Amino acid sequence: AVLVESLIVLAVVVWVHVGVWDRFSWCALALAIQAFYAQFKWDRLLRLGGAVFQFRAAANSGLLPASMVIPLLGIMLKERCRAAGIVYFERLGVVVASTGMLVALFLSVIAVGVTKPVPTNTCIVTGVAGSIVIYTMKHSLTVAEVIEVLEVLLIFVYLSMILLYLLPRCFTPGEALLVLGGISFVLNQLIKRSLNVVEGRGDPIDFFLLVAVVGVVLLGLFFTVLFMFMDSCTWISSMFFHTMTAVLGLGVIMPWLYRLIQRNPLFWLLHFLFQTWTRIYLLVYWTILAASACGVVFYQNAKRSSESKKHQASTVTRKYFHFIVVATYVPGLIYDRQLLHVAAVLCLALMVFLEYVRYFRIKPFGQTLRHLLSLFLDERDSGPLILTHIYLLLGMSLPLWLFPRACAPKGTLSGAGALVPYSGVLAVGVGDTIASVFGSTMGEIKWPGTKKTFEGTMTAIFAQIIAVALILIFDSSVNLNSSYAWILASVSLVSLLEAYTTQIDNLLLPLYLQILFMA
């Protein structure tokens, strides 16, 4: 299964560089080959318990698929913005690609260094790949960009040591690379933009995303350290939690956002949300869907109480939430993408805050949330945090958040690129959902080495093609320009990756589909 997963990722790496082959293409290929070698060293460390931190069990390291995501996203951003003539974002793409390669190499070097005896072949491959990457960076980056890449690497190192220690068994090495690498880059971008504020430059909704992500991470780190020295389950601790959340929100996050957007954040947000009747209708519709999702949770817990305390929600039941999320995102993508962008950021902040309440058992809702959400746990929620629902939100939102609006004429890309914002809907909302439902109920022929079925994968591909046809009908901004063969190949590759990967598919699949669509 690991070999097939690796072959699929290598096929994606080669596939996206068919049209444009430059020095970064050689870097990506070298990085993929060395990650393939290093991945087996990580898998061996996990099997023997030789890793420094505790990683999620029942999964391989996932180093190769995770290592290629950030570099490929940067390369595709560079190419798209170069074609559009937007130099600033072209250089940002170069920085993103270089940062992703350096962070992935760092994680590989750790595995090679810890492995005993020292793996000679892997050391040679890693050394060659590192030399190619560093040589390319030397001839592609300015001094300021090199410093920026090193800053992100430094943040990643410290953030990894802190969070992997505080949150054992929550990530595989690959998932840690993706999540912590993304947070490190966001934190560095926020610091950089805060120190170089130019009035009227930058989109407020982008600043809103940066501040929200960094804010919830800092909030979690603060309370994790605090509750090491006091009991979080008492009413006094709970009152302190809510008070300090308000203080940090109003005293740190709001002034920080004010500095970036040069206006009152609360007034800006209220004006933004209720600016048009379309937005009001969408907000009412989303409120109804959120209430229905809560209704599913309460109904399933009522069934557990009446049947058995050991009752767990089935795969089909958990996919109800995927259908609800699809019903949430599709109207937003069609009618108002900016509103969906901001609403997704607000939902992310709310979900992370509620997870803090559940994790720390903050009164009055902490214990209740623990009881309600325990019904929907699966083998991927083996650590102290429940992250699968947050990964679902991220998988649906990241293609929208990472969409290069400044490099897209009239707000949309041409060809398959027009489907980039729909990558999460197609890969997770439609493909993964249909594959799970049909595979678990009607699948009989299993893919070699996995529990996934051939029927589930084929049905997922067919369902995504139908979804693309419906998007063409209802979204007039999408123009595929006869790129149907590329779309079919992209959907098929990602569906095969879903069948063979043991990583969090809610996070990984949309990013790979976005990369293929942008290519």
Side-chain angles (χ1 to χ4, degrees):
V2 176
L3 287 172
V4 176
E5 178 192 50
S6 302
L7 287 174
I8 294 169
V9 174
L10 288 171
V12 172
V13 173
V14 174
W15 191 253
V16 299
H17 288 105
V18 168
V20 179
W21 190 276
D22 59 10
R23 62 178 66 171
F24 280 95
S25 305
W26 290 111
C27 285
L29 188 59
L31 182 69
I33 294 172
Q34 77 81 28
F36 174 75
Y37 275 84
Q39 177 171 255
F40 289 99
K41 302 301 176 283
W42 263 114
D43 291 342
R44 183 170 178 270
L45 288 173
L46 296 179
R47 284 196 306 271
L48 300 177
V52 178
F53 301 105
Q54 296 182 56
F55 292 98
R56 183 166 66 85
N60 61 32
S61 64
L63 185 64
L64 174 57
S67 294
M68 302 314 302
V69 169
I70 299 177
L72 290 179
L73 279 172
I75 291 170
M76 290 303 101
L77 176 64
K78 172 179 72 74
E79 293 301 326
R80 284 289 183 173
C81 294
R82 174 187 293 173
I86 311 296
V87 177
Y88 175 81
F89 285 101
E90 179 188 345
R91 299 308 304 171
L92 179 63
V94 172
V95 171
V96 170
S98 302
T99 302
M101 292 178 185
L102 208 59
V103 169
L105 277 172
F106 172 77
L107 210 59
S108 298
V109 169
I110 289 178
V112 173
V114 176
T115 302
K116 302 297 180 184
V118 176
T120 306
N121 292 339
T122 307
C123 285
I124 294 173
V125 172
T126 302
V128 171
S131 301
I132 293 173
V133 171
I134 292 173
Y135 178 82
T136 302
M137 289 174 59
K138 179 178 180 292
H139 290 83
S140 303
L141 300 178
T142 64
V143 175
E145 290 169 344
V146 170
I147 294 173
E148 186 175 351
V149 170
L150 295 177
E151 287 171 351
V152 176
L153 179 61
L154 188 63
I155 294 171
F156 174 79
V157 171
Y158 282 105
L159 204 59
S160 299
M161 290 192 294
I162 294 170
L163 292 183
L164 291 178
Y165 172 74
L166 295 175
L167 302 173
R169 304 180 308 281
C170 283
F171 308 101
T172 64
E175 291 161 7
L177 170 62
L178 268 182
V179 174
L180 302 182
I183 293 174
S184 302
F185 191 83
V186 166
L187 177 57
N188 186 70
Q189 283 293 307
L190 182 58
I191 295 172
K192 176 185 173 183
R193 297 190 187 194
S194 299
L195 295 174
N196 299 282
V197 174
V198 178
E199 187 173 358
R201 181 178 179 182
D203 195 331
I205 66 175
D206 292 330
F207 292 135
F208 189 64
L209 172 62
L210 295 177
V211 172
V213 170
V214 174
V216 294
V217 171
L218 294 179
L219 193 68
L221 289 174
F222 173 78
F223 285 117
T224 300
V225 174
L226 178 68
F227 289 136
M228 285 181 176
F229 304 99
M230 60 188 296
D231 186 5
S232 63
C233 301
T234 64
W235 274 104
I236 294 176
S237 297
S238 298
M239 290 296 295
F240 186 75
F241 174 87
H242 295 301
T243 303
M244 287 306 299
T245 300
V247 169
L248 290 171
L250 297 175
V252 177
I253 296 174
M254 288 299 174
W256 201 345
L257 192 54
Y258 178 84
R259 171 174 171 76
L260 290 168
I261 67 175
Q262 300 294 309
R263 67 192 83 169
N264 188 299
L266 289 177
F267 291 158
W268 169 81
L269 182 60
L270 290 173
H271 177 263
F272 179 87
L273 292 177
F274 302 104
Q275 194 170 15
T276 64
W277 280 106
T278 301
R279 292 185 174 179
I280 295 173
Y281 294 146
L282 282 172
L283 290 172
V284 172
Y285 169 67
W286 290 339
T287 303
I288 295 171
L289 288 177
S292 66
C294 294
V296 172
V297 173
F298 287 121
Y299 174 72
Q300 291 297 324
N301 274 274
K303 283 180 62 178
R304 174 172 63 173
S305 301
S306 62
E307 294 176 3
S308 169
K309 291 186 177 179
K310 295 183 179 180
H311 173 71
Q312 287 294 117
S314 65
T315 300
V316 176
T317 301
R318 285 198 294 268
K319 297 307 176 183
Y320 286 161
F321 299 103
H322 287 235
F323 287 118
I324 291 174
V325 170
V326 170
T328 301
Y329 273 73
V330 170
L333 289 168
I334 293 174
Y335 294 109
D336 199 325
R337 293 183 182 180
Q338 285 196 324
L339 176 65
L340 181 62
H341 187 293
V342 172
V345 174
L346 289 173
C347 285
L348 176 65
L350 179 61
M351 280 188 172
V352 174
F353 176 76
L354 290 177
E355 181 56 24
Y356 291 156
V357 171
R358 187 206 65 84
Y359 174 63
F360 294 120
R361 293 186 175 92
I362 301 299
K363 295 179 181 296
F365 302 114
Q367 196 59 43
T368 303
L369 285 172
R370 276 180 174 261
H371 174 73
L372 292 174
L373 295 180
S374 64
L375 175 67
F376 300 94
L377 298 180
D378 61 14
E379 69 277 0
R380 295 174 297 182
D381 292 311
S382 56
L385 294 184
I386 300 176
L387 297 173
T388 46
H389 60 296
I390 297 175
Y391 285 141
L392 175 60
L393 177 66
L394 285 174
M396 301 291 287
S397 304
L398 281 173
L400 178 65
W401 293 342
L402 300 176
F403 182 73
R405 298 190 305 276
C407 305
K410 299 180 180 179
T412 184
L413 297 174
S414 59
L419 293 173
V420 165
Y422 288 94
S423 299
V425 172
L426 292 170
V428 175
V430 177
D432 180 48
T433 303
I434 297 298
S436 297
V437 172
F438 280 83
S440 61
T441 55
M442 296 186 295
E444 294 182 359
I445 306 172
K446 294 186 181 297
W447 289 105
T450 77
K451 296 180 181 179
K452 306 295 179 65
T453 64
F454 174 82
E455 293 89 346
T457 302
M458 293 300 106
T459 310
I461 295 172
F462 183 64
Q464 289 176 81
I465 297 303
I466 293 176
V468 170
L470 292 174
I471 290 169
L472 280 172
I473 294 171
F474 291 102
D475 191 345
S476 59
S477 66
V478 174
N479 181 12
L480 300 183
N481 293 339
S482 302
S483 55
Y484 303 108
W486 184 275
I487 293 169
L488 178 60
S490 302
V491 166
S492 301
L493 275 174
V494 172
S495 297
L496 281 174
L497 182 61
E498 186 274 336
Y500 277 96
T501 188
T502 57
Q503 306 304 296
I504 299 292
D505 46 13
N506 288 349
L507 184 64
L508 196 65
L509 302 183
L511 293 174
Y512 268 100
L513 191 59
Q514 176 177 3
I515 290 166
L516 287 165
F517 283 163
M518 288 182 69

